Amino acid sequence: MHGNPASPARHVRFERRELRRTVGAAPSRAALLSAALCGALPGAACAYTATLGAASPQTVFLQVGVGTFTNPPYINGGQPANNTTINTVSATVASSAVGTGTAQAMTTNSTQTQSFWDNYIYCSVPGQVYIGGFYRTAGGTTAAALVTATVPAALTDTAGDTIPFSKIQWTSSGNGDSGAEPFPAGTFVNGGVQNVGSMASNTWNESCWTFSYLNNSIPPAGTFTGVVRYTLSAP
Amino acid sequence: MIALRRGAPLSAFFLACALSIIWARPAQTRTIQIDDTGTLALEPSVSLRWKSVAPPRSGSDNLMLGTSTLRVRLNVMPWLHRSLRIYLNLPAQQPGPIAISWLTQGRFIPGQLRSGNRVLLYAGPITTPFLEDTLTVQYSVDGSLVRHTFPVTFHFETDED
């Protein structure tokens, strides 16, 4: 009897339901029941809340000279990797040119010409050293990340002779670039930590440095070396 | 003075008539939130990651995305044997504008939504006390707003005359 859809009892219930739905503006049973479910009964929920948070709020990357990316370019999913290579920049000054005041172009053993951002040929070698990186952070505008150079007081040779690091300077550019460079031109200090550029958050920053030796003094003959360490510091 | 006193009620009468015409409305519609007790996320929280892992050379691309799988279970018993239109409502909320999009297993309608709006999720007859579907929900939010973890609330609702 209960399973028969044509039973009189079911037919009556159907008619009553239709009647209620046509009655003026009185709240329907459905509305009342729903209101009760959402507003009064314990355990009833009428909203869903998800908790969101940044998975990796900060990422920093700095490359000076050669670097490593897996599956570059970055914009297609490549990932930065560690590279411990220390590149050199050098100049050999002919004895006849020593101390003339004519700056001597320095060359590098870095082979990095491409920007890992998009594989664009951004720098020219051996005349330029690539420097680039980014500072990725969530949570609004922050102060820029700073790139500093830790510079020894002087370049030295095996005999203990020195050439002040301030005899080395650099210009900054990049193929196809316009506007200010994130890592501008400069001159080394004679020992200490100096700012050599900054990175606004969430942008890729890069420049090509062209080094030169000022050649305005006469040091003893020899091979003078020194190591500058670059550091990226995020706020 | 007398004329003014007698004139005032007359003006008020016409004003009342005008207002009553302006404010005349069709049948009143109630929006009712639907009980979603039993709705569960498979992940306890949503991890937001950069849409573009690589930041741009200029300008900013701060969009962060996060995905969650949601087993939605709506108590639609009050509307059993009736037709129902169910909307997903994402109210405007802190920390700022947010967008969600979702894919479904077929019971509900896939779609997308920006905070402060709602969109149709289901339209059809109610033949069971509960409507269930599994949604793959993607949240999109400006990373500059993500200072710390924050809640995002949405609900399911229907309209009744």
Side-chain angles (χ1 to χ4, degrees):
Chain A
M1 186 69 177
H2 289 290
N4 182 359
S7 69
R10 289 182 66 87
H11 184 64
V12 169
R13 281 200 297 272
F14 176 76
E15 285 185 342
R16 280 161 47 190
R17 182 178 299 122
E18 288 302 301
L19 180 62
R20 272 198 301 275
R21 292 183 64 187
T22 57
V23 171
S28 68
R29 183 176 67 108
L32 291 173
L33 180 54
S34 178
L37 282 171
C38 289
L41 292 183
C46 289
Y48 178 80
T49 299
T51 301
L52 278 63
S56 52
Q58 285 195 332
T59 309
V60 293
F61 173 72
L62 176 65
Q63 174 188 349
V64 183
V66 296
T68 300
F69 254 66
T70 55
N71 303 315
Y74 204 12
I75 55 174
N76 289 347
Q79 289 294 308
N82 286 332
N83 188 314
T84 59
T85 302
I86 299 175
N87 287 121
T88 62
V89 177
S90 62
T92 300
V93 185
S95 57
S96 60
V98 172
T100 61
T102 300
Q104 302 293 300
M106 303 180 80
T107 57
T108 179
N109 67 349
S110 168
T111 57
Q112 188 78 35
T113 58
Q114 289 178 307
S115 164
F116 280 133
W117 192 77
D118 60 354
N119 281 347
Y120 178 71
I121 303 298
Y122 190 61
C123 297
S124 303
V125 293
Q128 294 181 319
V129 175
Y130 179 92
I131 177 169
F134 64 86
Y135 161 43
R136 204 77 157 117
T137 182
T141 304
T142 69
L146 294 180
V147 178
T148 57
T150 302
V151 189
L155 299 103
T156 58
D157 66 4
T158 54
D161 302 314
T162 62
I163 296 176
F165 249 97
S166 59
K167 299 293 184 184
I168 298 175
Q169 65 181 13
W170 65 91
T171 60
S172 184
S173 62
N175 292 333
D177 255 5
S178 61
E181 292 292 334
F183 306 102
T187 303
F188 283 126
V189 297
N190 290 326
V193 178
Q194 67 181 114
N195 292 334
V196 295
S198 62
M199 300 184 188
S201 61
N202 299 325
T203 61
W204 181 276
N205 305 267
E206 58 189 354
S207 296
C208 302
W209 279 344
T210 303
F211 289 90
S212 60
Y213 168 57
L214 293 183
N215 190 32
N216 55 4
S217 62
I218 303 178
T223 299
F224 297 81
T225 62
V227 177
V228 174
R229 179 185 295 272
Y230 294 93
T231 303
L232 170 61
S233 302
Chain B
M1 288 297 288
I2 294 172
L4 282 174
R5 281 178 184 162
R6 293 183 62 186
L10 191 60
S11 301
F13 171 76
F14 286 119
L15 182 59
C17 290
L19 286 175
S20 67
I21 293 169
I22 292 169
W23 289 99
R25 297 176 62 183
Q28 196 168 14
T29 299
R30 287 188 61 193
T31 299
I32 300 165
Q33 292 190 19
I34 299 173
D35 176 21
D36 62 4
T37 302
T39 295
L40 295 172
L42 298 191
E43 305 85 4
S45 61
V46 181
S47 295
L48 295 171
R49 301 178 187 282
W50 299 107
K51 180 184 180 187
S52 301
V53 176
R57 268 204 179 104
S58 59
S60 61
D61 179 5
N62 290 338
L63 196 61
M64 299 189 85
L65 304 176
T67 303
S68 173
T69 304
L70 202 61
R71 285 184 183 153
V72 176
R73 177 179 164 93
L74 302 180
N75 182 352
V76 289
M77 190 177 298
W79 297 275
L80 200 55
H81 306 305
R82 293 169 55 187
S83 287
L84 191 64
R85 295 171 68 84
I86 299 175
Y87 300 88
L88 177 55
N89 188 322
L90 178 65
Q93 56 197 288
Q94 295 297 326
I98 188 170
I100 62 173
S101 61
W102 60 92
L103 300 174
T104 73
Q105 300 296 313
R107 183 77 161 168
F108 293 150
I109 305 168
Q112 55 189 356
L113 183 59
R114 294 192 66 81
S115 52
N117 297 284
R118 72 176 194 174
V119 70
L120 188 66
L121 184 70
Y122 176 85
I126 302 300
T127 57
T128 57
F130 294 93
L131 271 182
E132 297 179 77
D133 200 348
T134 300
L135 275 57
T136 303
V137 182
Q138 185 177 70
Y139 301 84
S140 306
V141 61
D142 186 333
S144 64
L145 301 173
V146 186
R147 292 179 175 82
H148 42 68
T149 58
F150 61 94
V152 173
T153 300
F154 51 85
H155 61 262
F156 307 90
E157 65 186 28
T158 187
D159 294 335
E160 283 217 346
D161 293 334

